[in-house]
Amino acid sequence: MASKESSEKSGRLQQIRLAYQMTRKSDSKVGLVVAAWGLGVLGVFLAIGFLIDHPIILGILGFLFGIVAAAFVFGRRAEKAVLGQMEGTPGAAAAVLQSLRRGWAVTPTVAVTRNQDVVHRAVGQAGIVLVGEGQPSRVANLLAAEKRKMSRVAEGVVVTDIIVGDDEGQVPLRKLQGHMMKLPRTMSKAQVGTVNDRLRALGGLLDNMPVPKGPMPKNARMPRGPRR
């Protein structure tokens, strides 16, 4: 039992070490910044402790909160470093979408071209969000086609399209998750489940569905299932 716990602890330390090494490749100051936050929090608590004549208690609390602060800062900088290394690689947006908090149902690569331009779909309280990555003009065409498909099966659901990139009107990969979380909520959790179940049930039928030409209908309605 002790050897198992020791092995798990060793594995976690190894993961932290690898994460630090990977982060340091693109963020050489990560160690100094993390240490500064941890020591800074400890210093603030100690200062308060001496002022109120309880340096030991506040010192212990400062040490614990310092570790939490250091871990939080390291996590954020590590995430930023990973996203920076992923930028420009196919499927990077899908990885970001799949790291979204609970409440989103993500389907990677619902549309793709031979040039590796792809569209991913996420369903949440903000409606249906289509995220494209690749060459902007080709991705725009993919998104338009997929958006028309969604208009055929989604009753009154808001469909938002996003192109990942650093140009005007695009969303940088490192800001994609935050951008998604800020989208206005237009559906309840129950409605999200209904829409997602319908899309999942249709499955591959969406790939073969004829796409109407011209502008997307404003009042598209989801086809009703057979009555029982």
Side-chain angles (χ1 to χ4, degrees), residues 30 53 57 64 70 76 95 102 139 201 219:
V30 61
D53 202 25
I57 295 176
L64 296 176
R76 293 298 298 269
R102 293 177 59 184
V139 170
N219 299 316

Side-chain angles (χ1 to χ4, degrees), residues 1 4 7 35 43 49 53 66 70 73 91 100 110 112 114 118 130 132 157 164 167 170 177 181 194 205 215 224 228:
M1 189 72 177
K4 183 179 179 181
S7 177
D53 202 25
V73 172
L100 285 168
V110 295
V112 62
R114 66 181 65 185
V118 294
L130 302 172
V157 176
V164 175
D167 295 334
Q170 300 176 354
Q177 189 176 96
M181 299 305 296
T194 299
L205 292 177
R224 299 181 180 276
R228 296 183 179 181

